[in-house]
Each structure stands twice: as C-alpha cells, then as structure tokens.
Amino acid sequence: MRFSLVTFCILVVVTKETIAEISSGVFTIHTEGCTIPGFPGVSESIKSIMDAPPAIRNCTSSRQLVTTNSTHIWVLREAFYSYDVFREDTFYCCYKNFSAVGNIENIVYSDCEEFSNVIPAKHEFVHIECFHLDGVIFRDFFIFNRHETVTPNRFRSEEYNILVLGIESMSRLNFHRTMPHTSEFLKQKGVIELLGYNKVGDNSYPNLFPVLTGLSFDYVKQSCVHGSVMNNDQCKFIWDKFKDKGYNTALGSDSTAGLLGNYEYSLPSIPTDFYLQPFIFETRKLFTNQNYSYHSCKGSKYFYRLLLDYIYSLTQNLKSNKLFGMFWEESISHENVNNPRIMDESYYKLLSNLDQDGYLNKTILILLSDHGMRWGRIVLTKQGRLEERLPLLAILLPEEFKSRYKLAYKNIENNVNRLTSPYDIYESLLDLMDPDRLEDNVIGSRSKSASVSRSSLFLPIPAIRNCSSIGVAEHWCACRGGVNIKVGSKAKTFVANKLVAQINKLLMGYSQCHKLILKNIYDVHLVENDQKLRVYTARVKTKPGGGIYDGTVIQDGTHWVISGTVSRLNLYRNQSYCVNNAAIKMYCYCV
Ligand SMILES: *[C@@H]1O[C@H](CO)[C@@H](O)[C@H](O)[C@H]1NC(C)=O
Ligand SMILES: *[C@@H]1O[C@H](CO)[C@@H](O)[C@H](O)[C@H]1NC(C)=O
Ligand SMILES: *[C@@H]1O[C@H](CO)[C@@H](O)[C@H](O)[C@H]1NC(C)=O
Ligand SMILES: *[C@@H]1O[C@H](CO)[C@@H](O)[C@H](O)[C@H]1NC(C)=O
Ligand SMILES: *[C@@H]1O[C@H](CO)[C@@H](O)[C@H](O)[C@H]1NC(C)=O
Ligand SMILES: *[C@@H]1O[C@H](CO)[C@@H](O)[C@H](O)[C@H]1NC(C)=O
Ligand SMILES: *[C@@H]1O[C@H](CO)[C@@H](O)[C@H](O)[C@H]1NC(C)=O
C-alpha cells in the first residue's frame, strides 16, 4: 500500500515536469522509465543537410503515343511523326486487361483487343502496346477506377473505416520539416502524435511485422515462412482479421519493395479484396533495370501519385462500405531525407479531399513510418541518430469517436508522452476492430490489468515502461536522457575493436567476404553506467570497403555483447553482390 502511494506521487511529479520541459524542448518525453532528449525541427547539426534540395527529378515523358482520361484511351496522332509512323495501315495498338490469378507471381493477360484510334477503358489494370510494321514501338500500363469486387457491408454506427498511410523512412520531425502543409492540416484537425514511438528493429520488416501480425519478424520467418512462402493462416495478418469482421480490405504500395514486396518471402494468395501490387509489379517491364525498387516516375506521373489516386478512388467507390486499407509510400522517401518535400501538397490535397467528402468523419486515419532515415549524412549527427529510432506515428480520430469513447480518447491523449512500440499499434487495431472493447466501462476494467510490455494505445500506458520492458534492444532505444560521457582513448579503441570483432563473427561461414579491420573511430560514448552494466555506443569505419557502422556494446562484468543489430550508416551498393542473406549484406565486402 505504502509502495503504491509512493509510486503515485512520483507519477504526479513526473507528469508536471513533463509538460514544462517538453514545451521548452529539452525532452521529447520524460517519464519514470524513459527520457528522450528533445531536438528542434532543424538543429544546427542538420541545417546544411536539410537545406539541400530534394534529389528527385520532375517526371516528364517526351515520347507519349497514347493518352487517357478517366474513361477512354486514345492514340495521339500528332505523335506519329516522332515515332516514325509513316505507314498508318500497319499501325495498331493492343488493349489487354490483366490481373493476378491466385497469387502475385501469376499475372494473366487477356487476349488483345485491337484499336488504332480510341477505345473505352473497361478494366482496372490495362496494358497497351502499339505496333508499326509488326514491331513494338510503344508500351504502357494504365490504371482505372473500375474496382469490381465490392462486398456490400454495413457500418454499425460505432464502427469506423481504418485508413493506414505509411510513409517509408520518415521520422516524426522529418515529417514536420518536409511536409509542413500536411502536418499543419492534421494539427488543425486535432491529430494525436505519439512522441515516444520507438522502432524495434533495423529496417522495414522487423518494424512492420509487429504492426501487421502482432508478432516479431524473426518469429514469422521461423514459424510461418516455409520455403520462402508465407503461411498467413499460421501468422494471420491484421487485414485478414478485419475481413473476418466484414470489412472490405485493401493493400497497396508505390514500389515493389514496399509493404509485402517480394523480398524475403511471398504470399500464397491475393491478400486483400483490393490489391494494387499486381499493377506495380507489371510496370517493372517499362524499365531497363527491373530490379531497382525505387523508380519514382511512370512516364509523366510519379508512382506515389498513382498510389494516392488509388486510395482516393477506393474511398469514393466504397463510400457506404466499411474499409480497412493499408498503403505504403516508398518510391520518394526511401532514397533521400529531403525528397518528401515534393509530396507535401499531394498528401495535403488527399487528406483535405477526404475531409471535405466527410470521409474522415467515419474514419480512423493513421499515418506512420517504420523508422527514420537510416543512412547518409543525417545519421552521423546526434539528432539523426535519434530520429532514425523515432518514426512518425500520428492518429486522427473523428469528433464522434472522441465523444463516444471518452476514456479511450483520454488515454490515447496521455500516451502521447509514453514510450510506445509497433506492437501497441497492433493492439490498438484489435480494439478498433471490436469497438465494444472501447466502451468506458470496459476500458475501466481492462485498465486494471494493463500490461507493461504491450498495450493498446486506448489503455493507460504505464510511465515505468522502459526499453527492456517492451523488448527494444539498447541499440534501438531512444531513451538516453542525453547522457553521453566521452571515454578515454584506450577504452575507445578497446570498444571499437569489440564492435569490429563482433561484425567479423557474423561473417564467419562466409568465406566470400573479407575480414574487416578497424580503420577509423568516429566516436565512442558511455551512455549507461549502473553498478551492473556499462552501455557504450560506437561509430567506426572499417576496411576494405569503407563501411560505416554504428553499434551498441554492453559490458556485463567481463562479458561483452552487442545489443540488437549493428547498423550500417552508408550504402553498400554492390559491395555485397556475393551474398544473398539480407542480414549479412550490410557487412560483407566481397573478396
Ligand atoms: C518541376 O516542375 C515544377 C513545376 O513545373 C517546377 O517549378 C520545378 O522547378 C521543377 N523541378 C525540377 C527539379 O525540374
Ligand atoms: C474521355 O475521352 C473520350 C474520347 O475523347 C470522350 O468521348 C469522353 O467523353 C471523355 N470522358 C471524360 C469523362 O471526359
Ligand atoms: C479481362 O476482363 C474480362 C471481363 O471484361 C474478364 O472476364 C477476364 O477475366 C479479364 N482477364 C484477366 C486476365 O484479368
Ligand atoms: C535481377 O535479379 C535477378 C534475380 O535475382 C538476377 O538474376 C538478375 O541478374 C538481376 N538483374 C540485374 C540487371 O541486376
Ligand atoms: C463532419 O463532422 C464535423 C464535426 O462533427 C461536422 O461539422 C461536419 O459537418 C461533418 N462533415 C460532413 C461532410 O458530414
Ligand atoms: C525497466 O523496467 C523494469 C520494471 O518494469 C525494471 O525492473 C528494470 O530494471 C528497468 N530497466 C532499466 C534498464 O532501467
Ligand atoms: C560495382 O559497381 C561499380 C560501379 O558502380 C562497377 O565498376 C563494378 O564493376 C561493380 N562490381 C560488380 C561486381 O558488379
């Protein structure tokens, strides 16, 4: 009893302090279990990086032979000259619809419907090829708003659409810096931004699988991926669960690498009612380098715009049907920290259109990312290192939700200043699927047995949460309180060598990879020093290959261990062509 009283007092004090210090920017969050230093949107250390222009070109297509509006496809006869079409009697185009049958590996095309002037667009995914003197002179892929399989379903008044919009490699602060119009719009609408949202692993997969399945990616790979095919009966995706509840489901990305790309596994069947990926996968045929995953333009159109149009058309077609949709932008934000600037107006427009349509009044909108930028100059700065660990998570709830589920709403507002993880998003989605769980009296009783390790964001998340209680390795943990003790040069070299030795250990069994040697030490910091453990972060360069690595090394008495993954801060490009294992590629310099 006395103990809980003491805890209560501490909580109150911490909360008061939190508000004062967060507003002064000293801390991002400051709780009993986790203190995350604060940064302004643009600190001195990243100013020159953020001043650089986006590294992305405008999409242009000088050579267009065919064009479309929302209902038809027609030939631009004025382009004949530039296509050397001098015998019109041998010119024709071929219209084919296509779709993935069974699974995405199996794309099937219809027979050719010939035309040489204009043709109505009757299908969602269309391929056009034009011929002259029997040779192909033009090809393109088009997408039309012709979603055929709408399952009629009805909202219960307490149910909402769920719209999850992922933006790859986007930290919370980078979202504000690069997409100010969108972020201002959301702020006006009363968006809830989770300041202590901490990633749990290095790249997309370990951070997304907890959101999609409530399971770790390691577990999924071990237990549910058989011969590189994922068994989604064993590890059920969140959209399958929404489907069981009668929702229409949709999934899409603007890149083959995005959400559920074909990277480490494939899906045995078409995952959702509406699925953009067969189209995106086929468009690879337009490019010489079909393996590159981040093509930004299809002709004169950005791929991300294609994705946003797809999302909007779904909301139009499914106006009175409930929808769970998950979408992932990748082609712009993956490659450069300034690139998202070009998307700001389009995202703003999409969201304000959804607002004007009244769609947001019955929709839970979740904007999120998997992690911040993982390479380039920005991750070499303190701010960039922290931002890599703190992805965007912003949730917009309809006014009606706020008044219907008062306690749940109050809880999520408080959780803004708590340490949270992707597993919490999954738990929250389960609540939204089953809104009875959000009723005040139910929230009240569930709160009594709230778990420290993972929790719906609609329950009170305990302030004592720390990285170890939610399973986040020290290396990925943003709770550092700003403690950063420089260490002496001897200890520095010692720790740096421990890190390199650990990388070489990972490379054992890969004789095609060079053994790495320490070339440069950027810095080593002691970030935790209690009686039992010492935690160091170290940043080094190795040779050959010039890889820059960032690792967290823990000294437990005489034992030294690496926490989490060792991050690679610069690109390895083709240095690792001789290995396929994604976890090893980061370290391998081929002999
Ligand atoms: C892209 O096009 C816009 C509008 O035409 C123009 O303002 C901008 O300078 C162009 N950007 C580049 C990189 O060419
Ligand atoms: C699209 O273009 C076709 C052919 O030019 C035309 O007949 C049709 O009315 C246009 N549709 C719309 C919606 O503008
Ligand atoms: C093409 O569309 C027709 C309906 O117009 C449909 O019956 C057929 O299955 C489609 N073919 C493919 C490969 O999607
Ligand atoms: C693309 O990937 C495939 C399969 O991994 C490989 O065989 C092919 O050589 C690659 N092509 C290019 C251009 O890199
Ligand atoms: C959406 O909800 C707001 C606030 O509840 C209301 O003012 C607005 O009229 C609604 N919009 C539509 C299009 O229903
Ligand atoms: C994390 O919190 C748990 C209690 O939830 C506590 O036992 C543990 O010592 C804490 N770890 C650190 C590193 O503070
Ligand atoms: C790797 O890329 C470089 C330059 O991009 C090229 O010169 C080299 O031949 C490539 N090596 C391999 C093994 O593909």
Side-chain angles (χ1 to χ4, degrees):
M1 194 64 213
R2 230 183 79 200
F3 177 74
S4 65
L5 200 65
V6 170
T7 314
F8 179 70
C9 292
I10 292 170
L11 279 178
V12 170
V13 172
V14 167
T15 308
K16 271 175 84 177
E17 199 182 339
T18 304
I19 290 161
E21 278 169 338
I22 284 172
S23 56
S24 70
V26 179
F27 298 120
T28 301
I29 68 166
H30 186 37
T31 68
E32 235 183 304
C34 174
T35 298
I36 301 177
F39 278 99
V42 183
S43 69
E44 272 310 306
S45 65
I46 65 164
K47 188 168 181 313
S48 69
I49 299 166
M50 296 315 302
D51 282 347
I56 198 113
R57 63 189 172 87
N58 275 345
C59 294
T60 51
S61 174
S62 51
R63 287 164 54 81
Q64 214 171 354
L65 184 55
V66 163
T67 193
T68 67
N69 60 14
S70 61
T71 57
H72 287 77
I73 302 167
W74 66 93
V75 174
L76 294 168
R77 308 192 80 81
E78 60 270 28
F80 277 175
Y81 181 76
S82 60
Y83 276 87
D84 286 334
V85 177
F86 54 88
R87 289 238 349 235
E88 285 195 32
D89 59 324
T90 72
F91 172 85
Y92 68 97
C93 298
C94 212
Y95 171 110
K96 290 179 182 174
N97 55 311
F98 64 95
S99 53
V101 177
N103 67 66
I104 195 163
E105 314 287 335
N106 185 33
I107 306 279
V108 180
Y109 283 80
S110 71
D111 290 337
C112 166
E113 195 175 331
E114 284 185 25
F115 70 104
S116 51
N117 188 15
V118 61
I119 193 167
K122 302 173 293 283
H123 303 91
E124 186 178 27
F125 300 154
V126 172
H127 177 234
I128 300 290
E129 228 170 2
C130 297
F131 300 82
H132 180 231
L133 302 173
D134 288 335
V136 178
I137 57 169
F138 177 88
R139 78 187 324 194
D140 205 348
F141 296 87
F142 298 103
I143 186 165
F144 293 93
N145 188 354
R146 302 268 183 286
H147 313 298
E148 274 139 19
T149 53
V150 179
T151 317
N153 58 26
R154 211 156 270 133
F155 282 98
R156 283 154 68 203
S157 67
E158 66 274 23
E159 286 178 326
Y160 298 91
N161 299 307
I162 314 288
L163 203 52
V164 183
L165 303 186
I167 304 181
E168 174 70 31
S169 302
M170 183 67 106
S171 69
R172 183 179 67 84
L173 287 179
N174 203 45
F175 177 65
H176 294 303
R177 283 191 298 260
T178 58
M179 299 179 69
H181 202 178
T182 310
S183 95
E184 183 56 33
F185 170 81
L186 289 169
K187 199 168 130 194
Q188 297 294 330
K189 297 292 297 176
V191 78
I192 292 175
E193 200 172 273
L194 284 297
L195 304 177
Y197 183 56
N198 199 124
K199 73 169 183 168
V200 296
D202 189 19
N203 57 16
S204 303
Y205 289 88
N207 291 304
L208 265 175
F209 268 82
V211 177
L212 302 181
T213 62
L215 304 166
S216 76
F217 185 44
D218 282 342
Y219 177 87
V220 171
K221 273 195 297 191
Q222 257 167 38
S223 307
C224 305
V225 175
H226 309 286
S228 90
V229 177
M230 163 118 180
N231 181 333
N232 51 334
D233 289 329
Q234 284 173 313
C235 291
K236 218 166 183 182
F237 284 111
I238 189 76
W239 46 79
D240 292 328
K241 297 192 170 182
F242 274 96
K243 181 84 201 154
D244 292 346
K245 289 278 173 182
Y247 276 76
N248 281 287
T249 56
L251 197 62
S253 165
D254 62 346
S255 138
T256 54
L259 195 74
L260 303 178
N262 57 350
Y263 184 40
E264 292 195 24
Y265 63 89
S266 57
L267 294 174
S269 56
I270 303 298
T272 47
D273 300 323
F274 305 95
Y275 189 42
L276 180 60
Q277 294 324 85
F279 182 81
I280 299 292
F281 273 64
E282 282 307 279
T283 59
R284 280 181 302 182
K285 293 182 175 159
L286 297 171
F287 302 102
T288 330
N289 182 356
Q290 301 194 1
N291 290 355
Y292 181 63
S293 296
Y294 309 105
H295 292 289
S296 51
C297 302
K298 186 186 85 63
S300 55
K301 188 154 187 170
Y302 283 118
F303 271 106
Y304 89 89
R305 288 288 299 272
L306 213 141
L307 174 67
L308 298 192
D309 289 351
Y310 181 74
I311 297 169
Y312 189 65
S313 74
L314 276 177
T315 66
Q316 294 290 294
N317 289 351
L318 298 177
K319 265 200 180 90
S320 47
N321 293 265
K322 58 189 181 185
L323 170 69
F324 173 89
M326 175 134 194
F327 305 97
W328 203 263
E329 177 282 326
E330 176 112 13
S331 66
I332 302 294
S333 58
H334 184 271
E335 298 292 78
N336 175 293
V337 72
N338 281 309
N339 281 356
R341 284 183 205 288
I342 70 156
M343 305 192 293
D344 191 20
E345 282 315 301
S346 308
Y347 270 84
Y348 165 73
K349 217 175 220 158
L350 171 68
L351 298 185
S352 66
N353 283 341
L354 292 176
D355 188 32
Q356 274 158 26
D357 294 349
Y359 197 80
L360 293 185
N361 278 0
K362 49 187 172 68
T363 299
I364 314 281
L365 175 71
I366 303 177
L367 260 78
L368 84 172
S369 191
D370 43 2
H371 46 72
M373 196 34 119
R374 290 167 49 226
W375 58 69
R377 277 166 66 206
I378 189 156
V379 288
L380 302 177
T381 67
K382 260 188 205 155
Q383 175 161 3
R385 188 180 192 278
L386 198 65
E387 283 191 23
E388 184 198 334
R389 287 154 176 73
L390 295 170
L392 169 71
L393 173 57
I395 301 176
L396 184 60
L397 301 165
E399 288 304 323
E400 190 203 84
F401 181 99
K402 297 178 190 173
S403 47
R404 189 191 290 271
Y405 303 113
K406 287 196 179 60
L407 210 45
Y409 181 66
K410 188 173 137 264
N411 286 336
I412 194 172
E413 270 194 312
N414 283 334
N415 290 335
V416 160
N417 296 312
R418 293 289 180 269
L419 176 64
T420 51
S421 88
Y423 292 97
D424 302 332
I425 302 182
Y426 181 77
E427 298 296 323
S428 311
L429 290 172
L430 293 183
D431 279 358
L432 292 168
M433 187 186 303
D434 223 337
D436 295 347
R437 293 154 62 101
L438 294 169
E439 299 286 349
D440 280 359
N441 59 341
V442 183
I443 290 283
S445 62
R446 289 172 68 201
S447 300
K448 290 183 196 119
S449 54
S451 142
V452 176
S453 62
R454 62 156 81 186
S455 160
S456 163
L457 296 166
F458 299 111
L459 294 175
I461 290 181
I464 54 163
R465 256 194 184 190
N466 56 33
C467 284
S468 78
S469 51
I470 61 169
V472 171
E474 282 296 325
H475 183 57
W476 302 127
C477 181
C479 315
R480 277 281 158 257
V483 186
N484 248 332
I485 304 164
K486 287 249 180 214
V487 298
S489 66
K490 223 166 141 184
K492 212 165 151 173
T493 312
F494 190 77
V495 172
N497 275 313
K498 284 281 174 206
L499 183 63
V500 178
Q502 187 64 31
I503 298 175
N504 282 325
K505 215 162 157 189
L506 292 172
L507 291 173
M508 262 170 17
Y510 294 89
S511 57
Q512 67 270 49
C513 308
H514 259 288
K515 191 171 177 212
L516 300 179
I517 315 173
L518 180 63
K519 183 174 178 214
N520 234 341
I521 306 175
Y522 293 101
D523 53 32
V524 173
H525 291 283
L526 179 60
V527 293
E528 202 83 65
N529 186 12
D530 65 25
Q531 300 91 322
K532 240 181 90 229
L533 295 179
R534 285 174 166 222
V535 180
Y536 295 92
T537 61
R539 223 154 23 94
V540 301
K541 189 180 218 168
T542 57
K543 64 181 179 186
I548 300 175
Y549 296 103
D550 180 330
T552 300
V553 193
I554 302 177
Q555 180 188 13
D556 182 357
T558 55
H559 289 283
W560 290 79
V561 290
I562 293 282
S563 159
T565 321
V566 177
S567 319
R568 169 109 189 200
L569 302 186
N570 55 349
L571 296 177
Y572 50 83
R573 302 198 186 279
N574 66 2
Q575 289 183 354
S576 328
Y577 67 92
C578 60
V579 285
N580 283 325
N581 183 337
I584 295 299
K585 270 187 170 300
M586 287 197 289
Y587 311 115
C588 180
Y589 184 82
C590 297
V591 173

